[in-house]
């Protein structure tokens, strides 16, 4: 499970060092792809395969499903961490997420997310008030 917030830096070659807590789960390879809110999703191969199975069950007759699948999968990139735990983020994904040198890598349960640090801070500032005001009616069955 991916938890916490980490602050690695992007080097001049577009690489980042994975947080130590995430390395075991991602040591056999990972998949990077476009995420919502202009971040990059990081999945273990096993979790990406599970997600792909769910996508395969979406009706091909649904334009929304087709559009989502195209954007999600066309941006996907298989990566293998090197011995130092570094991965290269493809240029297209760096551009999509607006990544600069300072990053936020957050745990989101079944996936990690890579954010530009400034974008993450802005997002979190906007959402923390909503989070603190969430009640049982907002997320049925959760509380």
């Amino acid at each position: 499970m991916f938890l916490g917030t980490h602050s690695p830096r992007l080097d001049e070659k577009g690489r980042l060092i994975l947080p130590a807590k995430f390395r075991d789960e991602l040591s056999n390879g990972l998949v990077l792809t476009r995420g919502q809110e202009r971040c990059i999703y990081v999945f273990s191969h096993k979790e990406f395969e599970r997600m792909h199975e769910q996508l395969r069950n979406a009706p091909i007759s649904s334009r929304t499903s087709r559009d989502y699948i195209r954007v999600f999968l066309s941006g996907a990139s298989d990566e293998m961490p090197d011995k130092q735990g570094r991965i290269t983020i493809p240029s297209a994904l760096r551009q999509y997420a607006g990544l600069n040198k300072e990053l936020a890598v957050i745990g989101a349960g079944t996936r990690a997310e890579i954010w530009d640090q400034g974008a993450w801070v802005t997002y979190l500032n906007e959402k923390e008030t909503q989070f603190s005001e969430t009640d049982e009616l907002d997320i049925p069955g959760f509380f």
Side-chain angles (χ1 to χ4, degrees):
M1 180 181 309
F2 299 105
L3 303 171
T5 301
H6 310 271
S7 301
R9 291 176 165 237
L10 195 63
D11 73 12
E12 64 281 344
K13 295 180 181 178
R15 300 176 300 189
L16 73 85
I17 297 174
L18 292 169
K21 290 183 176 186
F22 296 176
R23 289 184 201 162
D24 282 346
E25 193 161 344
L26 301 173
S27 63
N28 292 326
L30 56 103
V31 177
L32 303 173
T33 193
R34 294 179 191 101
Q36 275 103 2
E37 291 88 24
R38 294 282 176 169
C39 69
I40 299 171
Y41 287 165
V42 182
F43 294 101
S44 67
H45 276 291
K46 182 179 178 181
E47 183 62 21
F48 190 79
E49 288 172 14
R50 189 188 70 73
M51 289 286 300
H52 183 248
E53 267 312 302
Q54 290 179 332
L55 292 172
R56 287 179 59 164
N57 292 326
I60 197 166
S61 58
S62 164
R63 178 181 299 274
T64 301
S65 295
R66 290 191 313 269
D67 291 344
Y68 185 88
I69 290 167
R70 286 176 184 136
V71 172
F72 187 74
L73 294 178
S74 69
S77 176
D78 283 316
E79 300 295 329
M80 181 63 72
D82 67 14
K83 291 177 184 176
Q84 289 83 29
R86 294 178 301 193
I87 58 167
T88 300
I89 302 174
S91 176
L93 288 176
R94 291 193 314 263
Q95 184 177 4
Y96 169 79
L99 299 184
N100 292 301
K101 190 171 188 152
E102 303 296 324
L103 303 178
V105 177
I106 67 160
T110 59
R111 70 181 182 278
E113 296 179 354
I114 302 170
W115 291 73
D116 175 74
Q117 180 68 35
W120 172 248
V121 168
T122 299
Y123 174 84
L124 194 56
N125 287 339
E126 290 174 1
K127 300 302 177 185
E128 279 180 326
T129 300
Q130 279 181 281
F131 174 81
S132 67
E133 295 173 355
T134 300
D135 63 28
E136 64 186 66
L137 299 177
D138 294 324
I139 307 175
F142 186 68
F143 293 99

